[in-house]
Short mmCIF file of all heavy atoms in Angstrom, two decimals:
data_model
loop_
_atom_site.label_atom_id
_atom_site.label_comp_id
_atom_site.label_asym_id
_atom_site.label_seq_id
_atom_site.Cartn_x
_atom_site.Cartn_y
_atom_site.Cartn_z
N ALA A 354 55.58 5.39 15.81
CA ALA A 354 55.06 4.50 14.84
C ALA A 354 53.58 4.82 14.59
O ALA A 354 53.24 4.80 13.38
CB ALA A 354 55.28 3.03 15.32
N ASP A 355 52.77 5.06 15.58
CA ASP A 355 51.41 5.31 15.28
C ASP A 355 51.15 6.84 15.52
O ASP A 355 51.27 7.33 16.72
CB ASP A 355 50.47 4.55 16.32
CG ASP A 355 50.49 2.97 16.02
OD1 ASP A 355 50.81 2.64 14.83
OD2 ASP A 355 50.33 2.26 16.97
N LEU A 356 50.79 7.58 14.57
CA LEU A 356 50.65 8.93 14.57
C LEU A 356 49.20 9.32 14.98
O LEU A 356 48.26 8.69 14.69
CB LEU A 356 50.87 9.57 13.23
CG LEU A 356 52.36 9.67 12.74
CD1 LEU A 356 52.38 10.41 11.41
CD2 LEU A 356 53.20 10.36 13.80
N VAL A 357 49.06 10.37 15.68
CA VAL A 357 47.71 10.97 16.15
C VAL A 357 47.83 12.40 15.89
O VAL A 357 48.67 13.20 16.42
CB VAL A 357 47.45 10.68 17.62
CG1 VAL A 357 46.12 11.29 18.00
CG2 VAL A 357 47.32 9.15 17.84
N PHE A 358 46.92 12.93 14.92
CA PHE A 358 46.68 14.33 14.81
C PHE A 358 45.57 14.85 15.75
O PHE A 358 44.54 14.37 15.52
CB PHE A 358 46.43 14.68 13.39
CG PHE A 358 47.45 14.31 12.38
CD1 PHE A 358 47.68 13.03 11.91
CD2 PHE A 358 48.47 15.28 11.99
CE1 PHE A 358 48.69 12.72 11.06
CE2 PHE A 358 49.47 14.90 11.05
CZ PHE A 358 49.61 13.66 10.61
N ALA A 359 45.84 15.81 16.64
CA ALA A 359 44.90 16.24 17.54
C ALA A 359 44.74 17.79 17.33
O ALA A 359 45.68 18.51 17.59
CB ALA A 359 45.16 15.98 18.98
N LEU A 360 43.53 18.23 16.81
CA LEU A 360 43.27 19.65 16.64
C LEU A 360 42.35 20.12 17.68
O LEU A 360 41.32 19.60 17.84
CB LEU A 360 42.70 19.98 15.27
CG LEU A 360 42.32 21.43 14.85
CD1 LEU A 360 43.50 22.32 14.91
CD2 LEU A 360 41.62 21.50 13.61
N SER A 361 42.73 21.24 18.42
CA SER A 361 41.70 21.84 19.40
C SER A 361 41.46 23.21 18.97
O SER A 361 42.52 24.02 18.74
CB SER A 361 42.36 21.67 20.78
OG SER A 361 42.62 20.35 21.20
N VAL A 362 40.27 23.62 18.95
CA VAL A 362 39.76 25.00 18.59
C VAL A 362 39.00 25.60 19.73
O VAL A 362 37.94 24.84 20.28
CB VAL A 362 38.98 25.10 17.31
CG1 VAL A 362 38.59 26.53 16.91
CG2 VAL A 362 39.80 24.40 16.19
N GLY A 363 39.18 26.80 20.23
CA GLY A 363 38.46 27.41 21.31
C GLY A 363 37.06 27.72 20.94
O GLY A 363 36.60 27.55 19.80
N ALA A 364 36.36 28.31 21.91
CA ALA A 364 34.96 28.79 21.64
C ALA A 364 34.89 29.94 20.58
O ALA A 364 35.81 30.66 20.55
CB ALA A 364 34.38 29.22 23.02
N PHE A 365 33.89 29.92 19.82
CA PHE A 365 33.63 30.89 18.72
C PHE A 365 32.23 30.97 18.44
O PHE A 365 31.35 29.99 18.75
CB PHE A 365 34.53 30.61 17.58
CG PHE A 365 34.11 29.34 16.85
CD1 PHE A 365 33.35 29.45 15.77
CD2 PHE A 365 34.66 28.12 17.23
CE1 PHE A 365 33.03 28.22 15.13
CE2 PHE A 365 34.39 27.01 16.54
CZ PHE A 365 33.48 26.98 15.53
N ARG A 366 31.80 32.07 17.91
CA ARG A 366 30.43 32.24 17.36
C ARG A 366 30.29 31.98 15.89
O ARG A 366 31.06 32.40 15.05
CB ARG A 366 30.00 33.70 17.63
CG ARG A 366 28.46 33.98 17.40
CD ARG A 366 28.04 35.31 17.63
NE ARG A 366 28.39 36.11 16.50
CZ ARG A 366 27.90 37.30 16.10
NH1 ARG A 366 27.01 37.98 16.99
NH2 ARG A 366 28.31 38.05 15.05
N ILE A 367 29.36 31.13 15.60
CA ILE A 367 29.21 30.78 14.12
C ILE A 367 28.40 31.86 13.54
O ILE A 367 28.63 32.29 12.31
CB ILE A 367 28.38 29.47 14.05
CG1 ILE A 367 29.26 28.34 14.71
CG2 ILE A 367 28.05 29.06 12.65
CD1 ILE A 367 28.57 26.94 14.73
N ALA A 368 27.22 32.31 14.11
CA ALA A 368 26.33 33.35 13.49
C ALA A 368 25.48 33.84 14.69
O ALA A 368 25.58 33.30 15.77
CB ALA A 368 25.36 32.67 12.43
N PRO A 369 24.81 34.99 14.47
CA PRO A 369 23.97 35.37 15.63
C PRO A 369 23.10 34.35 16.10
O PRO A 369 22.16 33.85 15.41
CB PRO A 369 23.26 36.61 14.92
CG PRO A 369 24.11 37.09 13.86
CD PRO A 369 24.81 35.82 13.30
N GLY A 370 23.09 34.10 17.43
CA GLY A 370 22.25 33.09 18.04
C GLY A 370 22.74 31.73 17.92
O GLY A 370 22.15 30.76 18.53
N VAL A 371 23.89 31.45 17.18
CA VAL A 371 24.36 30.01 17.06
C VAL A 371 25.97 30.13 17.48
O VAL A 371 26.63 30.83 16.86
CB VAL A 371 24.25 29.54 15.68
CG1 VAL A 371 24.78 28.04 15.59
CG2 VAL A 371 22.79 29.62 15.27
N GLU A 372 26.36 29.38 18.50
CA GLU A 372 27.67 29.47 19.01
C GLU A 372 28.23 28.02 19.25
O GLU A 372 27.44 27.09 19.51
CB GLU A 372 27.75 30.27 20.27
CG GLU A 372 27.38 31.77 20.06
CD GLU A 372 27.42 32.51 21.43
OE1 GLU A 372 28.16 31.97 22.31
OE2 GLU A 372 26.89 33.60 21.50
N VAL A 373 29.57 27.88 19.33
CA VAL A 373 30.25 26.78 19.80
C VAL A 373 30.90 27.21 21.15
O VAL A 373 31.95 27.86 21.08
CB VAL A 373 31.28 26.16 18.89
CG1 VAL A 373 32.09 25.00 19.54
CG2 VAL A 373 30.59 25.65 17.55
N ARG A 374 30.34 26.90 22.29
CA ARG A 374 30.69 27.44 23.57
C ARG A 374 31.81 26.75 24.16
O ARG A 374 32.59 27.28 25.03
CB ARG A 374 29.51 27.49 24.49
CG ARG A 374 28.21 28.31 24.00
CD ARG A 374 27.08 28.15 24.86
NE ARG A 374 27.22 28.66 26.18
CZ ARG A 374 27.07 29.89 26.48
NH1 ARG A 374 26.68 30.77 25.62
NH2 ARG A 374 27.25 30.36 27.75
N ASP A 375 32.06 25.51 23.94
CA ASP A 375 33.13 24.74 24.51
C ASP A 375 34.26 24.32 23.50
O ASP A 375 35.11 23.59 23.91
CB ASP A 375 32.57 23.44 25.28
CG ASP A 375 31.66 23.82 26.38
OD1 ASP A 375 31.81 24.90 26.90
OD2 ASP A 375 30.83 22.96 26.77
N GLY A 376 34.19 24.83 22.35
CA GLY A 376 35.25 24.59 21.42
C GLY A 376 35.02 23.27 20.62
O GLY A 376 34.14 22.44 20.85
N ILE A 377 36.05 22.93 19.79
CA ILE A 377 36.03 21.80 18.95
C ILE A 377 37.29 20.88 19.27
O ILE A 377 38.45 21.57 19.20
CB ILE A 377 35.99 22.15 17.46
CG1 ILE A 377 34.73 22.85 17.14
CG2 ILE A 377 36.00 20.79 16.52
CD1 ILE A 377 34.65 23.43 15.61
N THR A 378 37.24 19.63 19.36
CA THR A 378 38.35 18.73 19.40
C THR A 378 38.20 17.71 18.30
O THR A 378 37.14 17.18 18.17
CB THR A 378 38.40 18.07 20.79
OG1 THR A 378 37.28 17.28 20.96
CG2 THR A 378 38.60 19.13 21.87
#
Side-chain angles (χ1 to χ4, degrees):
D355 292 333
L356 290 182
V357 175
F358 294 86
L360 175 66
S361 298
V362 181
F365 62 97
R366 190 181 77 162
I367 299 176
V371 183
E372 299 181 15
V373 175
R374 300 173 65 87
D375 295 338
I377 300 174
T378 59

